mmCIF file of all heavy atoms in Angstrom:
data_model
loop_
_atom_site.group_PDB
_atom_site.id
_atom_site.type_symbol
_atom_site.label_atom_id
_atom_site.label_comp_id
_atom_site.label_asym_id
_atom_site.label_seq_id
_atom_site.Cartn_x
_atom_site.Cartn_y
_atom_site.Cartn_z
ATOM 1 N N HIS D 81 139.876 121.188 95.500
ATOM 2 C CA HIS D 81 140.875 122.165 95.087
ATOM 3 C C HIS D 81 140.394 123.494 95.696
ATOM 4 O O HIS D 81 139.282 123.950 95.371
ATOM 5 C CB HIS D 81 140.913 122.233 93.568
ATOM 6 C CG HIS D 81 141.590 123.279 92.942
ATOM 7 N ND1 HIS D 81 141.606 123.647 91.659
ATOM 8 C CD2 HIS D 81 142.520 124.222 93.537
ATOM 9 C CE1 HIS D 81 142.331 124.788 91.401
ATOM 10 N NE2 HIS D 81 142.915 125.077 92.482
ATOM 11 N N VAL D 82 141.208 124.024 96.651
ATOM 12 C CA VAL D 82 140.942 125.338 97.149
ATOM 13 C C VAL D 82 141.692 126.408 96.395
ATOM 14 O O VAL D 82 142.927 126.401 96.515
ATOM 15 C CB VAL D 82 141.183 125.410 98.706
ATOM 16 C CG1 VAL D 82 140.986 126.874 99.253
ATOM 17 C CG2 VAL D 82 140.450 124.340 99.485
ATOM 18 N N SER D 83 141.099 127.131 95.552
ATOM 19 C CA SER D 83 141.794 127.864 94.696
ATOM 20 C C SER D 83 142.332 129.168 95.257
ATOM 21 O O SER D 83 141.830 129.546 96.421
ATOM 22 C CB SER D 83 141.000 128.271 93.404
ATOM 23 O OG SER D 83 140.012 129.232 93.694
ATOM 24 N N GLU D 84 143.223 129.797 94.499
ATOM 25 C CA GLU D 84 143.838 130.974 95.142
ATOM 26 C C GLU D 84 142.803 132.193 95.283
ATOM 27 O O GLU D 84 142.884 132.934 96.220
ATOM 28 C CB GLU D 84 144.786 131.528 93.875
ATOM 29 C CG GLU D 84 146.079 132.031 94.431
ATOM 30 C CD GLU D 84 147.002 132.315 93.272
ATOM 31 O OE1 GLU D 84 146.733 131.859 92.142
ATOM 32 O OE2 GLU D 84 148.018 133.027 93.471
ATOM 33 N N GLU D 85 141.745 132.051 94.426
ATOM 34 C CA GLU D 85 140.718 133.230 94.662
ATOM 35 C C GLU D 85 139.818 132.882 95.793
ATOM 36 O O GLU D 85 139.028 133.861 96.133
ATOM 37 C CB GLU D 85 139.843 133.166 93.387
ATOM 38 C CG GLU D 85 140.623 133.676 92.059
ATOM 39 C CD GLU D 85 141.429 132.512 91.463
ATOM 40 O OE1 GLU D 85 140.972 131.343 91.576
ATOM 41 O OE2 GLU D 85 142.470 132.741 90.846
ATOM 42 N N ARG D 86 139.891 131.814 96.416
ATOM 43 C CA ARG D 86 138.997 131.314 97.522
ATOM 44 C C ARG D 86 137.530 131.208 97.174
ATOM 45 O O ARG D 86 136.836 130.354 97.686
ATOM 46 C CB ARG D 86 139.127 132.303 98.687
ATOM 47 C CG ARG D 86 140.613 132.336 99.180
ATOM 48 C CD ARG D 86 140.853 133.408 100.251
ATOM 49 N NE ARG D 86 142.259 133.540 100.536
ATOM 50 C CZ ARG D 86 142.928 134.570 101.091
ATOM 51 N NH1 ARG D 86 142.126 135.603 101.454
ATOM 52 N NH2 ARG D 86 144.209 134.674 101.258
ATOM 53 N N ASN D 87 137.013 132.041 96.305
ATOM 54 C CA ASN D 87 135.642 131.871 95.724
ATOM 55 C C ASN D 87 134.556 131.666 96.909
ATOM 56 O O ASN D 87 133.723 130.734 96.749
ATOM 57 C CB ASN D 87 135.508 130.626 94.920
ATOM 58 C CG ASN D 87 136.363 130.939 93.614
ATOM 59 O OD1 ASN D 87 136.413 132.052 93.151
ATOM 60 N ND2 ASN D 87 136.989 129.850 93.001
ATOM 61 N N LEU D 88 134.640 132.472 97.907
ATOM 62 C CA LEU D 88 133.675 132.305 99.026
ATOM 63 C C LEU D 88 132.321 133.051 98.553
ATOM 64 O O LEU D 88 132.362 133.783 97.659
ATOM 65 C CB LEU D 88 134.162 132.927 100.298
ATOM 66 C CG LEU D 88 135.326 132.322 100.835
ATOM 67 C CD1 LEU D 88 135.861 133.105 102.037
ATOM 68 C CD2 LEU D 88 134.990 130.831 101.446
ATOM 69 N N PHE D 89 131.325 132.709 99.223
ATOM 70 C CA PHE D 89 129.975 133.478 99.047
ATOM 71 C C PHE D 89 129.940 134.554 100.009
ATOM 72 O O PHE D 89 129.651 134.299 101.151
ATOM 73 C CB PHE D 89 128.774 132.428 99.143
ATOM 74 C CG PHE D 89 128.897 131.303 98.130
ATOM 75 C CD1 PHE D 89 129.315 130.066 98.630
ATOM 76 C CD2 PHE D 89 128.551 131.539 96.838
ATOM 77 C CE1 PHE D 89 129.395 128.995 97.631
ATOM 78 C CE2 PHE D 89 128.506 130.500 95.897
ATOM 79 C CZ PHE D 89 129.041 129.184 96.285
ATOM 80 N N ASN D 90 130.370 135.767 99.579
ATOM 81 C CA ASN D 90 130.696 136.844 100.518
ATOM 82 C C ASN D 90 129.399 137.319 101.380
ATOM 83 O O ASN D 90 129.548 137.708 102.447
ATOM 84 C CB ASN D 90 131.270 138.004 99.890
ATOM 85 C CG ASN D 90 132.759 137.783 99.577
ATOM 86 O OD1 ASN D 90 133.383 137.109 100.297
ATOM 87 N ND2 ASN D 90 133.247 138.302 98.516
ATOM 88 N N GLU D 91 128.179 137.172 100.686
ATOM 89 C CA GLU D 91 126.940 137.549 101.398
ATOM 90 C C GLU D 91 126.398 136.616 102.325
ATOM 91 O O GLU D 91 125.525 136.807 102.991
ATOM 92 C CB GLU D 91 125.894 137.929 100.369
ATOM 93 C CG GLU D 91 126.454 139.000 99.280
ATOM 94 C CD GLU D 91 126.850 140.256 99.764
ATOM 95 O OE1 GLU D 91 126.206 140.759 100.788
ATOM 96 O OE2 GLU D 91 127.916 140.776 99.415
ATOM 97 N N MET D 92 126.963 135.428 102.230
ATOM 98 C CA MET D 92 126.433 134.247 103.142
ATOM 99 C C MET D 92 127.317 134.176 104.242
ATOM 100 O O MET D 92 128.428 134.607 104.362
ATOM 101 C CB MET D 92 126.470 132.960 102.304
ATOM 102 C CG MET D 92 125.385 132.867 101.207
ATOM 103 S SD MET D 92 125.649 131.567 100.001
ATOM 104 C CE MET D 92 125.098 130.291 100.959
ATOM 105 N N THR D 93 126.629 133.510 105.390
ATOM 106 C CA THR D 93 127.483 133.511 106.540
ATOM 107 C C THR D 93 128.516 132.342 106.512
ATOM 108 O O THR D 93 128.507 131.561 105.602
ATOM 109 C CB THR D 93 126.443 133.034 107.752
ATOM 110 O OG1 THR D 93 125.988 131.738 107.551
ATOM 111 C CG2 THR D 93 125.313 134.006 107.992
ATOM 112 N N VAL D 94 129.373 132.319 107.505
ATOM 113 C CA VAL D 94 130.312 131.306 107.637
ATOM 114 C C VAL D 94 129.745 129.972 107.557
ATOM 115 O O VAL D 94 130.195 129.148 106.838
ATOM 116 C CB VAL D 94 131.237 131.515 108.881
ATOM 117 C CG1 VAL D 94 132.044 130.358 109.260
ATOM 118 C CG2 VAL D 94 132.098 132.752 108.827
ATOM 119 N N GLU D 95 128.644 129.825 108.340
ATOM 120 C CA GLU D 95 128.099 128.441 108.469
ATOM 121 C C GLU D 95 127.473 128.055 107.182
ATOM 122 O O GLU D 95 127.652 126.917 106.674
ATOM 123 C CB GLU D 95 127.076 128.464 109.474
ATOM 124 C CG GLU D 95 126.451 127.155 109.758
ATOM 125 C CD GLU D 95 126.078 126.901 111.280
ATOM 126 O OE1 GLU D 95 126.737 127.404 112.124
ATOM 127 O OE2 GLU D 95 124.949 126.286 111.468
ATOM 128 N N GLU D 96 126.865 129.007 106.472
ATOM 129 C CA GLU D 96 126.247 128.708 105.150
ATOM 130 C C GLU D 96 127.355 128.325 104.113
ATOM 131 O O GLU D 96 127.116 127.511 103.308
ATOM 132 C CB GLU D 96 125.424 129.895 104.679
ATOM 133 C CG GLU D 96 124.036 130.006 105.431
ATOM 134 C CD GLU D 96 123.421 131.487 105.330
ATOM 135 O OE1 GLU D 96 124.086 132.386 104.624
ATOM 136 O OE2 GLU D 96 122.268 131.588 105.673
ATOM 137 N N ASN D 97 128.425 128.972 104.193
ATOM 138 C CA ASN D 97 129.517 128.701 103.276
ATOM 139 C C ASN D 97 130.070 127.229 103.523
ATOM 140 O O ASN D 97 130.224 126.500 102.680
ATOM 141 C CB ASN D 97 130.692 129.702 103.486
ATOM 142 C CG ASN D 97 130.638 130.838 102.468
ATOM 143 O OD1 ASN D 97 130.993 130.848 101.406
ATOM 144 N ND2 ASN D 97 130.015 131.851 102.993
ATOM 145 N N LEU D 98 130.111 126.989 104.806
ATOM 146 C CA LEU D 98 130.558 125.565 105.158
ATOM 147 C C LEU D 98 129.537 124.516 104.600
ATOM 148 O O LEU D 98 129.821 123.482 104.060
ATOM 149 C CB LEU D 98 130.787 125.336 106.717
ATOM 150 C CG LEU D 98 131.934 126.226 107.199
ATOM 151 C CD1 LEU D 98 132.073 125.985 108.769
ATOM 152 C CD2 LEU D 98 133.244 125.705 106.569
ATOM 153 N N GLU D 99 128.274 124.889 104.820
ATOM 154 C CA GLU D 99 127.149 123.952 104.286
ATOM 155 C C GLU D 99 127.274 123.721 102.847
ATOM 156 O O GLU D 99 127.053 122.653 102.338
ATOM 157 C CB GLU D 99 125.794 124.551 104.680
ATOM 158 C CG GLU D 99 125.404 124.290 106.134
ATOM 159 C CD GLU D 99 124.200 125.081 106.642
ATOM 160 O OE1 GLU D 99 123.519 125.627 105.709
ATOM 161 O OE2 GLU D 99 123.945 125.083 107.825
ATOM 162 N N MET D 100 127.656 124.872 102.149
ATOM 163 C CA MET D 100 127.772 124.689 100.665
ATOM 164 C C MET D 100 128.880 123.739 100.260
ATOM 165 O O MET D 100 128.788 122.940 99.329
ATOM 166 C CB MET D 100 128.178 126.019 100.006
ATOM 167 C CG MET D 100 127.053 127.118 100.023
ATOM 168 S SD MET D 100 125.564 126.727 99.411
ATOM 169 C CE MET D 100 125.903 126.974 97.647
ATOM 170 N N GLY D 101 129.898 123.690 101.115
ATOM 171 C CA GLY D 101 130.952 122.671 100.829
ATOM 172 C C GLY D 101 130.455 121.254 101.046
ATOM 173 O O GLY D 101 131.122 120.295 100.532
ATOM 174 N N ALA D 102 129.437 121.073 101.735
ATOM 175 C CA ALA D 102 128.898 119.664 102.177
ATOM 176 C C ALA D 102 127.714 119.268 101.258
ATOM 177 O O ALA D 102 126.960 118.379 101.602
ATOM 178 C CB ALA D 102 128.524 119.656 103.638
ATOM 179 N N TYR D 103 127.531 119.948 100.091
ATOM 180 C CA TYR D 103 126.297 119.706 99.366
ATOM 181 C C TYR D 103 126.049 118.281 99.015
ATOM 182 O O TYR D 103 124.928 117.827 98.883
ATOM 183 C CB TYR D 103 126.182 120.669 98.161
ATOM 184 C CG TYR D 103 127.124 120.211 97.031
ATOM 185 C CD1 TYR D 103 126.520 119.736 95.841
ATOM 186 C CD2 TYR D 103 128.428 120.493 97.132
ATOM 187 C CE1 TYR D 103 127.399 119.367 94.780
ATOM 188 C CE2 TYR D 103 129.293 120.125 96.024
ATOM 189 C CZ TYR D 103 128.756 119.640 94.894
ATOM 190 O OH TYR D 103 129.592 119.290 93.837
ATOM 191 N N LYS D 104 127.165 117.487 98.905
ATOM 192 C CA LYS D 104 127.049 116.042 98.478
ATOM 193 C C LYS D 104 127.375 115.148 99.790
ATOM 194 O O LYS D 104 127.375 113.987 99.613
ATOM 195 C CB LYS D 104 128.057 115.669 97.503
ATOM 196 C CG LYS D 104 127.642 116.215 96.136
ATOM 197 C CD LYS D 104 126.738 115.256 95.319
ATOM 198 C CE LYS D 104 126.334 115.709 93.948
ATOM 199 N NZ LYS D 104 127.407 115.436 93.138
ATOM 200 N N ARG D 105 127.538 115.840 100.931
ATOM 201 C CA ARG D 105 127.903 115.035 102.100
ATOM 202 C C ARG D 105 127.037 115.343 103.215
ATOM 203 O O ARG D 105 127.522 115.634 104.278
ATOM 204 C CB ARG D 105 129.392 115.423 102.533
ATOM 205 C CG ARG D 105 130.360 114.931 101.401
ATOM 206 C CD ARG D 105 130.686 113.436 101.452
ATOM 207 N NE ARG D 105 131.825 113.078 100.590
ATOM 208 C CZ ARG D 105 131.743 112.668 99.471
ATOM 209 N NH1 ARG D 105 130.482 112.433 98.793
ATOM 210 N NH2 ARG D 105 132.872 112.397 98.611
ATOM 211 N N ARG D 106 125.712 115.425 103.074
ATOM 212 C CA ARG D 106 124.819 115.924 104.024
ATOM 213 C C ARG D 106 124.825 115.018 105.259
ATOM 214 O O ARG D 106 124.594 115.538 106.423
ATOM 215 C CB ARG D 106 123.388 116.047 103.515
ATOM 216 C CG ARG D 106 123.132 116.762 102.216
ATOM 217 C CD ARG D 106 123.711 118.126 102.225
ATOM 218 N NE ARG D 106 122.914 119.087 103.044
ATOM 219 C CZ ARG D 106 123.036 120.302 102.970
ATOM 220 N NH1 ARG D 106 124.025 120.915 102.219
ATOM 221 N NH2 ARG D 106 122.320 121.095 103.838
ATOM 222 N N GLU D 107 124.993 113.718 105.007
ATOM 223 C CA GLU D 107 124.777 112.846 106.187
ATOM 224 C C GLU D 107 125.814 113.119 107.327
ATOM 225 O O GLU D 107 125.454 112.963 108.471
ATOM 226 C CB GLU D 107 124.800 111.355 105.711
ATOM 227 C CG GLU D 107 126.053 110.844 105.041
ATOM 228 C CD GLU D 107 126.348 111.264 103.668
ATOM 229 O OE1 GLU D 107 125.640 112.094 103.132
ATOM 230 O OE2 GLU D 107 127.458 110.870 103.123
ATOM 231 N N ASN D 108 127.079 113.511 107.022
ATOM 232 C CA ASN D 108 127.996 113.826 107.967
ATOM 233 C C ASN D 108 128.223 115.312 108.285
ATOM 234 O O ASN D 108 129.262 115.691 108.907
ATOM 235 C CB ASN D 108 129.476 113.168 107.705
ATOM 236 C CG ASN D 108 129.342 111.737 107.341
ATOM 237 O OD1 ASN D 108 128.493 111.026 108.020
ATOM 238 N ND2 ASN D 108 130.188 111.272 106.579
ATOM 239 N N MET D 109 127.269 116.065 107.828
ATOM 240 C CA MET D 109 127.581 117.593 107.788
ATOM 241 C C MET D 109 127.790 118.140 109.143
ATOM 242 O O MET D 109 128.835 118.933 109.402
ATOM 243 C CB MET D 109 126.476 118.278 107.161
ATOM 244 C CG MET D 109 126.752 119.740 106.777
ATOM 245 S SD MET D 109 125.547 120.495 105.826
ATOM 246 C CE MET D 109 124.255 120.820 107.172
ATOM 247 N N GLU D 110 127.075 117.739 110.193
ATOM 248 C CA GLU D 110 127.163 118.312 111.451
ATOM 249 C C GLU D 110 128.490 117.953 112.145
ATOM 250 O O GLU D 110 129.201 118.797 112.591
ATOM 251 C CB GLU D 110 126.103 117.810 112.401
ATOM 252 C CG GLU D 110 124.598 118.338 112.038
ATOM 253 C CD GLU D 110 124.595 119.958 111.960
ATOM 254 O OE1 GLU D 110 125.208 120.522 112.818
ATOM 255 O OE2 GLU D 110 123.819 120.416 111.084
ATOM 256 N N SER D 111 128.894 116.611 112.016
ATOM 257 C CA SER D 111 130.133 116.222 112.649
ATOM 258 C C SER D 111 131.366 116.888 111.877
ATOM 259 O O SER D 111 132.372 117.330 112.451
ATOM 260 C CB SER D 111 130.231 114.697 112.770
ATOM 261 O OG SER D 111 130.152 114.111 111.447
ATOM 262 N N ASN D 112 131.205 116.960 110.510
ATOM 263 C CA ASN D 112 132.351 117.528 109.822
ATOM 264 C C ASN D 112 132.554 118.998 110.114
ATOM 265 O O ASN D 112 133.619 119.552 110.267
ATOM 266 C CB ASN D 112 132.115 117.358 108.267
ATOM 267 C CG ASN D 112 132.281 115.968 107.828
ATOM 268 O OD1 ASN D 112 132.939 115.145 108.429
ATOM 269 N ND2 ASN D 112 131.759 115.570 106.586
ATOM 270 N N MET D 113 131.301 119.677 110.343
ATOM 271 C CA MET D 113 131.458 121.052 110.715
ATOM 272 C C MET D 113 132.052 121.272 112.011
ATOM 273 O O MET D 113 132.926 122.152 112.265
ATOM 274 C CB MET D 113 129.959 121.701 110.731
ATOM 275 C CG MET D 113 130.084 123.214 110.540
ATOM 276 S SD MET D 113 128.526 124.029 110.398
ATOM 277 C CE MET D 113 127.845 123.526 108.873
ATOM 278 N N GLN D 114 131.750 120.431 112.938
ATOM 279 C CA GLN D 114 132.325 120.493 114.278
ATOM 280 C C GLN D 114 133.858 120.337 114.101
ATOM 281 O O GLN D 114 134.597 120.961 114.839
ATOM 282 C CB GLN D 114 131.755 119.414 115.173
ATOM 283 C CG GLN D 114 132.098 119.621 116.697
ATOM 284 C CD GLN D 114 131.854 121.045 117.126
ATOM 285 O OE1 GLN D 114 130.648 121.587 117.050
ATOM 286 N NE2 GLN D 114 132.785 121.717 117.648
ATOM 287 N N GLU D 115 134.256 119.432 113.262
ATOM 288 C CA GLU D 115 135.717 119.214 113.075
ATOM 289 C C GLU D 115 136.421 120.522 112.563
ATOM 290 O O GLU D 115 137.405 120.771 112.954
ATOM 291 C CB GLU D 115 135.996 117.927 112.137
ATOM 292 C CG GLU D 115 135.818 116.632 112.947
ATOM 293 C CD GLU D 115 136.212 115.539 112.001
ATOM 294 O OE1 GLU D 115 137.020 115.596 111.093
ATOM 295 O OE2 GLU D 115 135.562 114.386 112.119
ATOM 296 N N VAL D 116 135.679 121.050 111.640
ATOM 297 C CA VAL D 116 136.280 122.349 111.077
ATOM 298 C C VAL D 116 136.367 123.452 112.095
ATOM 299 O O VAL D 116 137.365 124.079 112.320
ATOM 300 C CB VAL D 116 135.320 122.858 109.826
ATOM 301 C CG1 VAL D 116 135.797 124.279 109.454
ATOM 302 C CG2 VAL D 116 135.490 121.862 108.683
#
Side-chain angles (χ1 to χ4, degrees):
H81 170 192
V82 179
S83 75
E84 220 173 344
E85 295 81 29
R86 297 172 189 160
N87 295 328
L88 295 171
F89 300 100
N90 283 330
E91 306 304 317
M92 291 167 70
T93 66
V94 165
E95 186 147 323
E96 287 164 348
N97 270 275
L98 292 176
E99 285 171 5
M100 294 300 282
Y103 74 108
K104 286 274 183 68
R105 298 281 190 262
R106 307 305 290 190
E107 64 285 3
N108 300 331
M109 190 170 80
E110 294 301 326
S111 57
N112 288 341
M113 197 177 293
Q114 193 52 54
E115 280 184 31
V116 170

